[in-house]
Amino acid sequence: MHDLLIAPFVEFGFLRRALVGCLALSVSAPVLGVFLVLRRMSLTADVLAHGALPGVALGFLLAGLSAPVLWFGGLVAGLVVAVGAGALSRATGGREDATLAALYLVALGLGVALVSMGGSAADLSHILFGSVLGVDDAALLLMAGVASVTLVVLAFAWRPLVLECFDPAFAAAAGAQGGAWHLVFQGLVVVNVLSAFQALGTLMAVGLMMLPAIASRHWAREVGGMAYAAVGIAVGSSLAGILVSYHLDVPTGPAIVLVAGAAWVVSVLAGPVDGLLPRLVRRGHLAG
């Protein structure tokens, strides 16, 4: 057990940095995912992640794999997509989700084209799927900083966000300023996805945010309970995924996402809230 669970982290510093970074993200990103699920915006995080790719690609062309430059470029591009979609939908009368889809598809194609023109296939793979070797001290500080800022902002935004999820009319009547908090919330989603891409890549970073959040609804009914469950699943998925990546020599991002996906499957099957097996047991009791 020591060789399987502890020895890799004792022997390799890059694994310790990857673990600490992923644990920091596991504390903040899944909580945002819970609100995305409650607001029926589960695909928004994926859209914003793809929308940030041109900025990440441009940062890579200018400064290589420099975490601050990549993060800043992705932040600008992600916010342009998020804010631009809302502005375009209001100006044209169209649906915001359709505008987001159009912008993210264009951004995804542009980002991949930029990286392909200025780098190798290995560089493209690193940006899309991440690498634990990319989690240097700068990236680690960035992950920890983003997680800390996210938790502080959520402490103030918790009540308005919950009200917006369950009773938007009452939130508007109570002066909760839902539009402003919505923009703040989208900004938090962007920065959390971007801070994860060094270890997980732009295509996989959303997995750590959304899969634990989706699974959490099978373990709790209240928002607070869902947040705790999502964080617990994300922490376990990060630890197990990094170990699977090390022992089986597979990319870290996909390994963490697959473990989180397995946790979701278990939750769907055995979760006490609307899980398939508990439902069958209750039906059996009622039939008896």
Side-chain angles (χ1 to χ4, degrees), residues 52-67:
L53 187 57
V56 174
L58 188 58
F60 168 74
L61 294 179
L62 295 175
L65 295 173
S66 171

Side-chain angles (χ1 to χ4, degrees), residues 58-283:
L58 188 58
F60 168 74
L61 294 179
L62 295 175
L65 295 173
S66 171
V69 176
L70 294 177
W71 185 85
F72 180 76
L75 175 63
V76 172
L79 291 178
V80 166
V81 170
V83 176
L88 283 174
S89 63
R90 286 191 295 269
T92 62
R95 291 177 56 90
E96 185 174 357
D97 59 341
T99 308
L100 271 173
L103 287 176
Y104 111 82
L105 288 170
V106 173
L108 177 61
L110 178 60
V112 173
L114 286 173
V115 178
S116 300
M117 289 188 298
S120 64
D123 295 325
L124 178 61
S125 176
H126 176 88
I127 291 176
L128 294 180
F129 302 108
S131 170
V132 292
L133 295 177
V135 184
D136 53 14
D137 292 340
L140 184 59
L141 289 173
L142 179 62
M143 292 178 184
V146 166
S148 300
V149 170
T150 299
L151 293 178
V152 171
V153 174
L154 283 176
F156 292 96
W158 186 269
R159 182 176 174 81
L161 289 176
V162 172
L163 285 176
E164 278 287 314
C165 289
F166 294 103
D167 198 341
F170 175 77
Q177 296 180 333
W181 285 116
H182 178 69
L183 290 178
V184 171
F185 175 73
Q186 283 191 313
L188 290 177
V189 172
V190 171
V191 297
N192 274 265
V193 169
L194 287 174
S195 64
F197 89 89
Q198 286 288 94
L200 306 179
T202 55
L203 296 185
M204 295 290 155
V206 179
L208 191 60
M209 177 181 290
M210 295 309 305
L211 283 171
I214 297 169
S216 70
R217 65 171 295 272
H218 295 288
W219 299 100
R221 296 186 184 275
E222 297 182 352
V223 180
M226 291 175 64
Y228 285 123
V231 169
I233 294 171
V235 168
S237 299
S238 296
L239 176 60
I242 291 174
L243 289 172
V244 168
S245 172
Y246 172 76
H247 289 296
L248 300 183
D249 193 26
V250 296
T252 308
I256 292 175
V257 171
L258 286 174
V259 172
W264 168 71
V265 172
V266 171
S267 301
V268 171
L269 293 175
V273 180
D274 296 331
L276 295 178
L277 293 180
R279 279 189 171 189
L280 290 176
V281 171
R282 285 194 295 269
R283 287 178 183 175

